[in-house]
Amino acid sequence: LLRLEEATVAAQNAMLKTLEEPPQKVILLLTADAAENLLPTIVSRCEVLRLRPLSAERLAEALQTHWGVNNNEAWKLAHLANGRPGYALRLHQNPQMLKQLQAWGAEMFELLAESRRARFAYVEKVAKSREELRPVLVTWLSLWRDVMLAAVSTNAPLTNLEFEPQIHHLAETIGWSKARACTVGLERALAQLEANVNIRLLAENILLDWPRLTAA
């Protein structure tokens, strides 16, 4: 089963019985972009095999050579996909999907300058269901990980090149410790998302823990 992270919670739950008692002489192969994007009950019933991603350079070259992506876009997609050719190609072929990821990223930086009331109003918009909230949190997690990297001045490449100036500015402003705390908070929230928790309260707590910065 390919791209299982796109399956609904109900669909993933429906697979549990099959994973517990698979048919004889059958090997079930599931793929997903990250284990944290699946139900913990799915992951616990599988043997996780982590595939090595391509380097950003090789992936960018492949996007240009085989799919005619221009150099600038290929470089950004290669980083955003973290070396996953399939995901990079999907983003290239689905501009609306890429536009949505960029919108969530831009909104994250805007929220850092907003009041508590404005942050709670935003939660009303994105926390209507677990399925709608999950990709928002995953996008924010990717950005906060970039802020952590920038805060320690590592040579590791950033994922979200579209927001490189904002990432470096935020890293210089809040430092590694606070960036790490926000990253850990999002990782914890994603793990809790499928539990019997109030998703609106979960999202509100995330935003409450973020620093409030003055607008640049």
Side-chain angles (χ1 to χ4, degrees):
L1 299 175
L2 303 180
R3 300 198 296 270
L4 189 60
E5 76 279 359
E6 297 180 357
T8 64
V9 172
Q12 292 188 43
N13 277 322
M15 289 187 57
L16 294 178
K17 184 66 173 177
T18 302
L19 291 174
E20 289 176 348
E21 300 177 5
Q24 291 186 356
K25 299 182 180 180
V26 170
I27 296 176
L28 298 175
L29 181 63
L30 317 177
T31 69
D33 57 1
E36 60 262 29
N37 293 338
L38 302 177
L39 293 179
T41 46
I42 290 284
V43 179
S44 66
R45 288 163 172 78
C46 298
E47 180 179 354
V48 178
L49 301 176
R50 300 192 180 277
L51 304 179
R52 289 181 177 272
L54 292 176
S55 67
E57 292 79 5
R58 289 187 61 189
L59 180 50
E61 181 181 354
L63 289 170
Q64 295 175 71
T65 303
H66 299 291
W67 292 287
V69 182
N70 69 64
N71 179 68
N72 187 52
E73 183 184 2
W75 189 246
K76 289 182 179 180
L77 289 176
H79 281 265
L80 189 58
N82 284 320
R84 295 167 291 172
Y87 186 49
L89 188 58
R90 284 168 55 209
L91 290 175
H92 172 63
Q93 295 174 338
N94 189 345
Q96 189 58 39
M97 180 181 177
L98 180 58
K99 185 177 179 180
Q100 181 61 79
L101 294 178
Q102 293 169 341
W104 287 329
E107 288 163 358
M108 188 195 94
F109 290 105
E110 291 169 0
L111 284 167
L112 293 173
E114 294 288 359
S115 65
R116 179 182 299 180
R117 177 178 297 180
R119 294 183 184 193
F120 284 2
Y122 181 84
V123 167
E124 290 185 16
K125 182 176 70 172
V126 300
K128 295 178 180 178
S129 70
R130 285 170 170 77
E131 290 78 8
E132 291 182 27
L133 182 59
R134 176 181 289 277
V136 181
L137 300 186
V138 170
T139 301
W140 289 348
L141 177 58
S142 174
L143 284 160
W144 279 108
R145 284 173 174 166
D146 275 350
V147 176
M148 282 182 59
L149 289 175
V152 296
S153 301
T154 178
N155 291 325
L158 299 180
T159 297
N160 301 276
L161 297 184
E162 189 77 21
F163 297 102
E164 189 167 3
Q166 296 96 317
I167 288 168
H168 282 287
H169 174 73
L170 181 56
E172 293 172 1
T173 302
I174 68 171
W176 178 85
S177 181
K178 186 60 182 177
R180 179 183 181 277
C182 293
T183 303
V184 171
L186 280 164
E187 290 174 338
R188 185 183 302 115
L190 281 165
Q192 295 172 339
L193 191 59
E194 303 309 331
N196 187 24
V197 297
N198 184 312
I199 61 171
R200 179 172 173 176
L201 182 60
L202 181 69
E204 288 177 349
N205 285 335
I206 291 170
L207 296 188
L208 280 176
D209 288 339
W210 287 2
R212 187 180 179 194
L213 310 178
T214 56

